[in-house]
Amino acid sequence: MNRRSAPPLSPLHLLAAVLTALTALLGTATNSWATPSSSPGSISWGAAPADTPVGKGRSRFVYTLTPGSRVTDALSVVNRSDSTIRLRVYASDAFTTPSGGIDLLAGDKKPRDVGSWITMKSTTLRLKSQQSATVPFTLEVPADATPGDHSGGVVTSLITKSEDGTVRLDRRLGARLYLHVSGPLKPALAVSRLHADYDGTFDPLGGGSLRLTYTVTNTGNVRLKVRQIVQSQGLFGLIKQRAPLGDLPEILPGDSLTRTVTVQGVWPAVRLDAGLVLEPVASDGEGGPVRAAPASASRSVWAWPWGQLLVLAALVVLAVGYVLLRRRRKRTVEQAVSAAVAKALDTAREAAPQGASPDPAPDPAPDPAPDPSRD
């Protein structure tokens, strides 16, 4: 039996397949707080904290609880699509992304913090077109829960597959959850893996660029934002400079954030001490303002003043050239004077009579007459 070979794909079909695969891959990394598309014919739904005795008109879940306590709340979900959808509903832990955002663990990863303390009344939800529902849940704080901030979220997830069933697209939508467990607060930051580079300039009136790469870790138990300041000084503490940078976004307890910043206009000072000062700033969560000591680190880097050295070298060359030129001119003048004197003497000798000396010697003085009184 002969099998007919499949017709070759046209460029448009290939392009569509590539775009579909890229969209699916990107969808697995979509931020948890993104709203699904609401274009005509697409699947769209909404999720937000429900109005309950705990709170109304909220954009997120925020609690302040003591160890061993519990609270019951609910998530409101509405299907804005024209078709029926089936959603998975679960709670998870939040983490700080490398870009500085806040995201939730992937659906296949088990939570170990506040996400594991939440029990959903229902883990699946089937909604018809334009139908809404409320999903209750219970948050129970363990008796041995550590004081401070715990971040997570309550999520609705829709997983779809491509036509060939090989690519999954996980679209998630939910509400953030911030839990502040009562107890001693210990806000703290640490700086590690600081690396410094300096790029000079040949402009004698301009400064170079100082580039710093470093990792900031929230070593305390409070969510913190970070104010950044770069400091530099030359040898013997000369040429001090200070440059404030943009604030870092919120960093959750135990998480880290790596950044590379560049400061322009840093004056070269041969050997430059570059320092980074990070000042913790409390986030806008519950628990009130906190105070924490700043974290700092420094590195030394070579910062050669190439432009200034070139100007100095040019000045030295000009000075040496000026001295050599003066000596040459002096030697030329001395040689000209000597030549003029010699020429004058030669002319005088040529003008004198033959046999006569141009400078006759004077006659010797006569001997004095004897004194007869001495005889």
Side-chain angles (χ1 to χ4, degrees):
M1 178 177 180
N2 296 331
R3 295 184 179 180
R4 297 179 60 186
S5 60
L9 294 177
S10 66
L12 291 178
H13 286 86
L14 290 175
L15 180 59
V18 172
L19 291 177
T20 301
L22 288 177
T23 302
L25 292 176
L26 291 175
T28 59
T30 300
N31 191 298
S32 303
W33 320 116
T35 302
S37 173
S38 58
S39 58
S42 65
I43 298 177
S44 174
W45 75 97
D51 290 339
T52 66
V54 179
K56 299 181 184 298
R58 300 168 294 172
S59 62
R60 61 188 65 183
F61 298 104
V62 180
Y63 310 108
T64 298
L65 301 174
T66 58
S69 62
R70 58 187 298 175
V71 64
T72 299
D73 213 331
L75 178 73
S76 178
V77 185
V78 57
N79 180 10
R80 300 193 181 100
S81 308
D82 296 330
S83 58
T84 301
I85 60 175
R86 183 181 296 274
L87 302 173
R88 178 190 174 199
V89 186
Y90 63 95
S92 187
D93 297 335
F95 66 94
T96 305
T97 65
S99 62
I102 304 296
D103 203 350
L104 294 179
L105 298 175
D108 57 350
K109 292 187 177 181
K110 186 177 180 179
R112 299 181 179 274
D113 196 60
V114 66
S116 64
W117 304 344
I118 297 175
T119 302
M120 307 298 303
K121 186 174 181 179
S122 176
T123 57
T124 59
L125 187 62
R126 184 177 182 275
L127 295 175
K128 296 181 179 180
S129 175
Q130 308 305 317
Q131 182 182 5
S132 61
T134 300
V135 183
F137 63 87
T138 300
L139 168 59
E140 186 170 358
V141 183
D144 58 351
T146 58
D149 293 333
H150 302 262
S151 302
V154 181
V155 188
T156 57
S157 170
L158 176 66
I159 298 178
T160 57
K161 296 183 179 180
S162 61
E163 294 181 358
D164 57 3
T166 58
V167 180
R168 294 200 321 168
L169 176 62
D170 186 2
R171 302 169 63 186
R172 301 186 296 174
L173 182 65
R176 301 190 189 191
L177 187 147
Y178 291 128
L179 169 64
H180 181 83
V181 178
S182 301
L185 300 181
K186 298 178 180 179
L189 287 175
V191 186
S192 61
R193 293 181 287 182
L194 174 63
H195 181 74
D197 288 312
Y198 183 84
D199 292 330
T201 177
F202 290 101
D203 182 3
L205 300 179
S209 60
L210 177 64
R211 184 173 60 255
L212 300 177
T213 300
Y214 54 93
T215 298
V216 185
T217 303
N218 185 344
T219 57
N221 61 357
V222 180
R223 294 182 291 122
L224 293 174
K225 294 181 180 179
V226 183
R227 183 172 295 121
Q228 308 176 98
I229 301 175
V230 174
Q231 298 177 338
S232 63
Q233 63 179 15
L235 295 174
F236 312 110
L238 301 176
I239 316 179
K240 294 183 178 181
Q241 292 180 272
R242 181 184 176 95
L245 303 175
D247 293 351
L248 289 178
E250 180 181 87
I251 304 177
L252 301 180
D255 288 351
S256 299
L257 195 60
T258 300
R259 280 289 184 267
T260 297
V261 297
T262 301
V263 180
Q264 303 290 343
V266 178
W267 195 259
V270 183
R271 192 63 175 173
L272 196 66
D273 290 331
L276 179 70
V277 179
L278 302 179
E279 298 179 354
V281 180
S283 296
D284 56 356
E286 298 294 326
V290 295
R291 294 183 179 180
S296 61
S298 62
R299 288 290 184 273
S300 295
V301 61
W302 291 107
W304 294 103
W306 299 115
Q308 292 77 8
L309 291 176
L310 288 176
V311 172
L312 180 61
L315 293 176
V316 171
V317 170
L318 291 176
V320 172
Y322 177 74
V323 172
L324 295 177
L325 182 60
R326 287 199 61 181
R327 289 181 179 179
R328 182 177 179 182
R329 287 181 177 178
K330 183 178 180 180
R331 192 181 307 113
T332 302
V333 171
E334 290 176 350
Q335 292 175 353
V337 171
S338 299
V341 172
K343 184 176 181 180
L345 291 176
D346 292 341
T347 303
R349 290 191 185 97
E350 292 176 357
Q354 292 293 333
S357 175
D359 295 321
D363 293 336
D367 294 335
D371 187 356
S373 62
R374 294 182 179 181
D375 292 341

